[in-house]
Amino acid sequence: MRLGTFADASGRGFAGLVTDAETVVEVGASTRELLADWDRVLPTLDAMSEAEGVPLDDLTVLPPVEPGQILQSGANYRTHVIDLAAAHHAERGNRPDAELRAEVAGMMDRRAAEGTPYLFIGLPSAVTGPSDDVVIPPWTQKFDWELELAAVIGREAFRVDRSRALDHVAAYTIANDLTARDQVFRRDMPEIGTDWFRAKNGPGFTPLGPWLVPARDVDPSDLRLRLELNGEVMQDETTKDMLFDVAALVAAASEITPLRPGDLVLTGSPAGNGMALGRLLRAGDVMTGSITGLGTQTTRVVAP
């Protein structure tokens, strides 16, 4: 099953079910309303999967949900963290690369065994559709991609145990958590550390979708994430490389704040980002991101 948000030729938006015939059956005013009553709604959606709809090609695909909160996970793929540590260190020091990578690998193994997820907050205003362009802000020279699996909350979760956390996930979708790398660390006040507000939340920094796929149809422990830049594969990794799985992330987020239907928990990005590869985004680039069973999004980068 694929659930999304669409606009018709008049600009009217609605929630719709995508059928195997690539038509869309209207199912409600918004996916957030459906998520708020997910246990009752899901069987009804199943029964509508053979209904007659309008051609998908006649509609504009919008972000599949308008989130309330966006909880983002940092440093959650082992290889990704090692690569970024090496890339950032190349700007600041002269330790041998192999020595640094071995040290960070050991830190990540200890963190996975003994630590907790690293979470921060994203803004819903950064969300854009799965086929929309993104404008490079004039205040960054190091604009980067980060393809991620996003868990969509369907049942309120507050201080839930890891063993029950996945019961609160209604669906999964794709996010590209774009980052202004040169804004991550505050150069004017290094003692306060990272500035995720500036680095992560410009307009269009979170391409989302195309679909919400019910959690019952997805095994989040073994999904392949693949991002191509102008047809060249940059990220190609599975969720097995996560330090903390989806259940751990949802539980950790819910320990601090109630998660409500429509909220997103982004689960981190695997290795293969531009910062580590020495190739950042430029005007005219096209990113194509896909995750097993969740569809494909395409984002063109344009000049400010």
Side-chain angles (χ1 to χ4, degrees):
M1 180 192 298
R2 294 171 290 168
L3 186 66
T5 302
F6 307 89
D8 60 20
S10 72
R12 183 182 66 92
F14 60 91
L17 182 68
V18 184
T19 70
D20 291 341
E22 297 301 303
T23 63
V24 176
V25 180
E26 186 169 348
V27 295
S30 76
T31 52
R32 276 186 72 176
E33 291 176 348
L34 299 175
L35 290 163
D37 198 15
W38 191 244
D39 292 337
R40 185 188 64 81
V41 163
L42 195 55
T44 303
L45 295 177
D46 285 332
M48 299 176 67
S49 62
E50 300 298 325
E52 189 171 332
V54 300
L56 175 59
D57 289 343
D58 292 346
L59 303 171
T60 299
V61 182
L62 304 176
V65 65
E66 182 179 341
Q69 301 182 102
I70 302 176
L71 284 301
Q72 298 169 305
S73 306
N76 197 43
Y77 278 77
R78 186 178 185 275
T79 306
H80 167 70
V81 178
I82 295 169
D83 287 349
L84 279 183
H88 279 294
H89 191 273
E91 299 180 345
R92 301 173 182 169
N94 55 9
R95 287 177 60 192
D97 184 71
E99 177 185 317
L100 179 66
R101 294 178 71 89
E103 178 182 311
V104 177
M107 290 170 56
M108 291 305 99
D109 290 341
R110 290 192 296 275
R111 179 168 167 248
E114 304 168 3
T116 58
Y118 177 31
L119 298 170
F120 51 94
I121 300 171
L123 298 181
S125 59
V127 170
T128 191
S131 301
D132 293 337
D133 295 345
V134 62
V135 178
I136 301 176
W139 39 262
T140 180
Q141 304 301 313
K142 294 184 177 181
F143 199 33
D144 203 351
W145 58 86
E146 293 201 67
L147 193 69
E148 305 198 13
L149 173 68
V152 186
I153 300 301
R155 182 184 300 159
E156 182 167 330
F158 187 47
R159 296 175 182 164
V160 300
D161 187 79
R162 179 175 178 174
S163 64
R164 298 185 294 109
L166 292 185
D167 294 341
H168 299 262
V169 176
Y172 292 95
T173 191
I174 303 172
N176 191 353
D177 187 21
L178 300 172
T179 306
R181 294 285 182 202
D182 47 358
Q183 302 299 320
V184 171
F185 298 104
R186 291 297 298 254
R187 300 180 186 278
D188 60 333
M189 193 181 291
E191 60 269 26
I192 69 170
T194 51
D195 186 350
W196 294 118
F197 168 72
R198 189 169 180 84
K200 291 280 191 182
N201 288 297
F205 271 39
T206 313
L208 192 69
W211 322 123
L212 304 181
V213 177
R216 64 165 191 206
D217 300 330
V218 179
D219 177 3
S221 69
D222 189 15
L223 299 175
R224 181 164 294 278
L225 293 78
R226 181 183 175 95
L227 183 136
E228 297 181 6
L229 182 67
N230 305 327
E232 181 181 355
V233 177
M234 296 295 177
Q235 291 183 284
D236 189 5
E237 182 59 88
T238 73
T239 52
K240 290 180 178 179
D241 197 44
M242 283 185 181
L243 295 170
F244 300 99
D245 61 14
V246 176
L249 296 171
V250 171
S254 79
E255 182 180 359
I256 305 302
T257 185
L259 303 179
R260 298 184 173 90
D263 287 351
L264 302 179
V265 178
L266 273 57
T267 60
S269 190
N273 301 105
M275 185 70 185
L277 298 174
R279 167 56 162 98
L280 283 303
L281 290 168
R282 302 189 287 254
D285 284 340
V286 177
M287 295 173 285
T288 304
S290 62
I291 298 179
T292 309
L294 303 186
T296 300
Q297 58 172 232
T298 302
T299 305
R300 184 169 64 99
V301 182
V302 300

